[in-house]
């Protein structure tokens, strides 16, 4: 028998759209993604959704062979039924199931996968007539146990589609069980995000107000004002902020977290060999510190050959080693203890400039050295296309976790405070929210903090709508601990995602950001304590000033408190 899923799946009040399609108005989806194998697979999530015969309790009904291989039904020792694709000669030779996709719906996918030898990537692929194959997600499957493949697709079309499974190793048998494809409207998805935000970003707190002698203060007038959010929601800044009062005022009134878009990069700090210049970066650091703005350090080194200082590109290996070591020591020592994070080797899944010239352990060594110089700061791997798109195998969650494990397994790196940086540069079109969620679910299994580090959306008619969807999706996820947008004023050159025009008036995307800043904080609230001196409130995590007015003396006392995820009770002795 299959293991029951940990999360309770509620599915009722369904609207049927044709004979194959249903959308459920009430649901509770599982945000967890197991990265460890199970001896037996769990039951299909959401009851399989629109998949017919998802657990193969009716044999192979509804399933066919795709390509030149073959399929067969197998039964485990515990009586669990599953399907095996074998005699494969092409990567896409597998089992297939036809479904009807409808335009404008989000489809969340999951399946349990095993192979007959070794370990191999297995992808779920949606085959749409007259269009390219769409990868919905991948898993590193193994022999001897079942791995959960999670992913999804957004349908910008109405069409039949075939669900296939792909493995580049054609000698591998693909074993499949507990398949689910669950459709959601954007409205339903948003409702689920809101529920998660209430759960992850707010706490229901019971307050008790007493006099100095400990007796309950009945009918005390209470004023609650949030002074700062616990969740880091920030914005990139560049050198234009130094000379623009409008830019400074706009930024400081909204954001308490930032990343300098270019001013801490090597090509900015040492454009000519031996001539270091931190004047601009230092000035920006001082501005941030004066305004209580925390800074992410971006970046120590960049693995893309194109973005090296010109003088670095033609150095010999020995010269590069000395120059890179000097660079790491220089920038990290200068700002040690002043930052909340470092992007250590930027984009070193896509690129390998330092590894190619200095050996495969170069990244690991620089992580080690940076942490030695700044041991209280989180060291991030930072990449693009991991969360934005599903088609780049080099930076998918499997590759990301493999690279991170390689770095953290290097001798001396086991104690590093490490973090996962996902840049978040989104192109044209509706973001694949189901795939985004699956990526966050998978990466969350590392237990490391996840930040969206450079979020922007290419300029297009629906930019503001898509930006809002992206920000809500990452904010509601329990593993995400911060968001930085690479967006800002037109006068500062933010041409992709512009938040204010040349007169510092909001664009549509700027309206979205201001709306979310306001929505994700507790509004100033007035209430009264009851006969036991108590009152309850649901509060966003953060810092608060709470003013108590004594009903006898009419004197007021203001105290400061911090509300976190674990806060359930606060005693106020006024």
């Amino acid at each position: 028998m299959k293991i029951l899923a940990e999360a309770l799946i509620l599915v009722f009040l369904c609207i049927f759209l044709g004979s194959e399609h249903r959308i459920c108005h009430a649901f509770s989806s599982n945000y967890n993604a197991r990265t460890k194998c199970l001896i037996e697979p769990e039951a299909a999530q959401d009851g399989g959704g629109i998949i017919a015969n998802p657990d193969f309790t009716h044999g192979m009904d509804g399933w066919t062979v795709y390509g030149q291989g073959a399929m067969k039904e197998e039964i485990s020792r515990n009586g669990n039924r599953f399907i095996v694709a074998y005699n494969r000669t092409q990567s896409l030779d597998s089992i297939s199931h036809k479904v009807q996709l409808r335009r404008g719906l989000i489809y969340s996918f999951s399946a349990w996968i095993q192979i007959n030898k070794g370990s191999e990537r297995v992808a779920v692929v949606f085959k749409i007539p007259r269009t390219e194959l769409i990868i919905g997600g991948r898993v590193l499957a193994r022999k001897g146990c079942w791995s959960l493949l999670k992913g999804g697709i957004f349908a910008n079309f109405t069409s039949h589609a075939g669900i296939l499974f792909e493995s580049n190793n054609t000698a591998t048998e693909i074993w499949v069980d507990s398949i689910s494809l669950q459709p959601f409207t954007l409205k339903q998805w948003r409702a689920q995000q809101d529920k998660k935000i209430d759960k992850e970003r707010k706490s229901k707190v019971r307050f008790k107000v007493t006099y100095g002698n400990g007796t309950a203060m009945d009918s005390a007038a209470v004023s609650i004002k949030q002074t700062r959010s616990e969740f880091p929601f920030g914005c990139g800044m560049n050198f234009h902020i130094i000379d623009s009062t409008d830019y400074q005022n706009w930024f400081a009134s909204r954001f308490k977290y930032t990343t300098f878009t270019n001013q801490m990069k090597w090509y900015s700090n040492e454009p000519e060999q031996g001539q270091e210049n931190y004047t601009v970066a230092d000035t920006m650091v001082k501005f941030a510190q004066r305004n209580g703005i925390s800074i992410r350090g971006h970046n120590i080194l960049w693995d893309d050959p194109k973005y090296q200082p010109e003088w670095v590109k033609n150095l010999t290996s020995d010269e590069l080693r000395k120059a890179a070591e000097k660079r790491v020591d220089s920038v990290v020592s200068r700002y040690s203890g002043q930052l909340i994070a470092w992007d250590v080797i930027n984009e070193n899944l896509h690129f390998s400039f330092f590894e190619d010239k200095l050996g495969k352990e170069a990244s690991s060594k620089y992580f080690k050295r940076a942490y030695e110089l700044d041991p209280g700061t989180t060291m991030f791997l930072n990449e693009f296309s991991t969360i934005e798109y599903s088609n780049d195998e080099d930076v998918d969650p499997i590759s990301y976790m493999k690279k991170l494990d390689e770095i953290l397994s290097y001798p001396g790196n086991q104690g590093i405070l490490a973090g996962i940086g996902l840049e978040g540069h989104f192109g044209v079109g509706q973001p694949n929210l189901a795939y985004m969620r699956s990526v966050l679910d998978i990466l969350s299994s590392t237990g490391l903090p996840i930040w969206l580090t450079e979020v922007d959306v290419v300029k297009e008619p629906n930019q503001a709508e898509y930006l809002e969807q992206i920000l809500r999706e990452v904010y509601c996820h329990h593993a995400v601990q911060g968001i930085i947008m690479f967006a800002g004023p037109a006068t500062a050159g933010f041409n992709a995602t512009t938040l204010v025009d040349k007169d510092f008036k909001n664009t549509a995307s700027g309206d979205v950001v201001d709306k979310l800043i306001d929505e994700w904080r507790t509004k100033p609230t007035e209430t009264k304590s009851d006969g036991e001196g108590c009152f309850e409130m649901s509060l966003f995590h953060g810092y608060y000033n709470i003013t108590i007015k004594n009903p006898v003396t009419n004197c007021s006392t203001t105290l400061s408190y911090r509300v976190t995820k674990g806060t359930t009770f606060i005693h106020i002795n006024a």
Side-chain angles (χ1 to χ4, degrees), residues 109-126:
F109 178 87
S110 64
W112 288 88
I113 308 294
Q114 185 174 168
I115 57 176
N116 64 323
K117 55 184 176 182
S119 62
E120 298 287 345
R121 266 185 173 85
V122 176
V124 60
V125 179
F126 294 87

Side-chain angles (χ1 to χ4, degrees), residues 412-516:
N413 283 1
Q414 288 74 17
I416 283 180
L417 293 175
I420 293 172
L422 307 175
E423 293 183 11
H425 297 296
F426 291 85
V428 174
Q430 168 70 42
N432 186 349
L433 300 177
Y435 182 74
M436 287 177 61
R437 182 170 298 180
S438 72
V439 169
L440 295 173
D441 289 347
I442 294 165
L443 293 176
S444 72
S445 67
T446 64
L448 298 176
I450 299 173
W451 279 60
L452 273 289
T453 56
E454 305 178 20
V455 177
D456 62 9
V457 179
V458 70
K459 194 176 291 295
E460 65 138 84
N462 297 316
Q463 181 192 67
E465 176 188 352
Y466 296 158
L467 177 64
E468 181 172 357
Q469 290 179 12
I470 291 162
L471 293 175
R472 288 186 183 280
E473 184 60 37
V474 295
Y475 179 72
C476 79
H477 200 281
H478 65 277
V480 175
Q481 295 189 16
I483 301 170
I484 301 289
M485 299 173 292
F486 267 25
T491 55
F494 288 96
N495 298 319
T497 303
T498 306
L499 300 183
V500 287
D501 63 19
K502 60 182 178 61
D503 297 317
F504 282 82
K505 293 186 178 353
N506 270 10
T507 63
S509 292
D511 283 340
V512 163
V513 170
D514 281 354
K515 177 178 74 172
L516 294 179

Side-chain angles (χ1 to χ4, degrees), residues 310-349:
E310 284 300 319
W311 61 269
V312 168
K313 295 179 180 179
N314 295 317
L315 295 179
T316 66
S317 293
D318 285 342
E319 291 169 339
L320 177 62
R321 182 176 291 104
K322 292 176 183 177
E325 289 172 354
K326 179 174 176 288
R327 159 63 181 175
V328 174
D329 285 7
S330 174
V331 70
V332 180
S333 296
R334 188 178 195 88
Y335 299 114
S336 178
Q338 301 182 67
L339 311 180
I340 60 171
W342 280 110
D343 293 330
V344 182
I345 311 288
N346 203 42
E347 298 171 357
N348 70 333
L349 287 169

Side-chain angles (χ1 to χ4, degrees), residues 119-358:
S119 62
E120 298 287 345
R121 266 185 173 85
V122 176
V124 60
V125 179
F126 294 87
K127 186 178 186 302
I128 316 298
R130 298 179 299 280
T131 190
E132 63 184 34
L133 300 171
I134 301 174
I135 294 174
R138 298 183 185 85
V139 69
L140 187 64
R142 297 175 175 85
K143 176 186 177 181
C145 56
W146 293 89
S147 300
L148 179 61
L149 192 166
K150 292 191 74 172
I153 185 174
F154 179 82
N156 53 14
F157 47 77
T158 294
S159 172
H160 285 286
I163 298 176
L164 316 174
F165 296 90
E166 180 181 40
S167 173
N168 291 330
N169 185 349
T170 57
T172 296
E173 292 181 358
I174 304 174
W175 302 6
V176 185
D177 200 2
S178 300
I179 304 168
S180 174
L181 187 67
Q182 178 65 43
F184 300 94
T185 65
L186 286 168
K187 183 178 180 181
Q188 290 170 337
W189 200 265
R190 166 67 184 277
Q192 191 178 35
Q193 290 172 338
D194 290 343
K195 287 180 65 177
K196 283 291 290 183
I197 288 171
D198 282 345
K199 178 182 177 183
E200 301 297 336
R201 307 301 177 194
K202 300 175 77 174
S203 289
K204 188 174 182 179
V205 183
R206 180 173 175 81
F207 293 84
K208 185 174 181 65
V209 185
T210 60
Y211 292 102
N213 62 7
T215 59
M217 187 180 289
D218 184 10
S219 300
V222 181
S223 299
I224 297 178
K225 182 179 180 181
Q226 186 173 7
T227 57
R228 180 163 179 158
S229 173
E230 182 82 4
F231 185 87
F233 181 39
C235 195
M237 71 166 69
N238 62 27
F239 70 93
H240 289 281
I241 205 163
I242 294 173
D243 298 318
S244 172
T245 302
D246 287 339
Y247 189 2
Q248 292 172 11
N249 293 337
W250 173 83
F251 196 103
S253 66
R254 286 166 172 80
F255 304 111
K256 293 300 180 184
Y257 295 86
T258 193
T259 300
F260 301 166
T261 56
N262 288 299
Q263 285 66 44
M264 278 193 185
K265 292 173 180 173
W266 195 2
Y267 60 65
S268 295
N269 304 146
E270 194 178 3
E272 301 293 333
Q273 186 171 14
Q275 298 180 23
E276 291 184 339
N277 187 342
Y278 289 97
T279 303
V280 174
D282 286 348
T283 304
M284 292 172 67
V285 167
K286 289 175 183 176
F287 166 77
Q289 291 173 339
R290 283 198 309 271
N291 289 277
I293 299 168
S294 300
I295 306 166
R296 296 188 74 260
H298 178 73
N299 50 56
I300 300 174
L301 294 170
W302 197 343
D303 240 343
D304 188 341
K306 183 169 64 174
Y307 293 112
Q308 306 304 321
E310 284 300 319
W311 61 269
V312 168
K313 295 179 180 179
N314 295 317
L315 295 179
T316 66
S317 293
D318 285 342
E319 291 169 339
L320 177 62
R321 182 176 291 104
K322 292 176 183 177
E325 289 172 354
K326 179 174 176 288
R327 159 63 181 175
V328 174
D329 285 7
S330 174
V331 70
V332 180
S333 296
R334 188 178 195 88
Y335 299 114
S336 178
Q338 301 182 67
L339 311 180
I340 60 171
W342 280 110
D343 293 330
V344 182
I345 311 288
N346 203 42
E347 298 171 357
N348 70 333
L349 287 169
H350 273 108
F351 307 106
S352 54
F353 177 79
F354 294 97
E355 290 81 355
D356 292 345
K357 293 179 176 292
L358 303 178

Side-chain angles (χ1 to χ4, degrees), residues 95-110:
I95 62 172
S96 176
H97 184 76
K98 285 189 177 180
V99 294
Q100 175 73 28
L101 302 181
R102 297 199 178 269
R103 182 182 180 88
L105 297 185
I106 300 167
Y107 289 85
S108 180
F109 178 87
S110 64

Side-chain angles (χ1 to χ4, degrees), residues 518-535:
D518 183 64
E519 182 181 322
W520 293 341
R521 61 187 297 126
T522 303
K523 307 296 187 295
T525 303
E526 307 283 335
T527 188
K528 281 192 174 185
S529 60
D530 62 18
E532 296 180 348
C534 297
F535 62 94

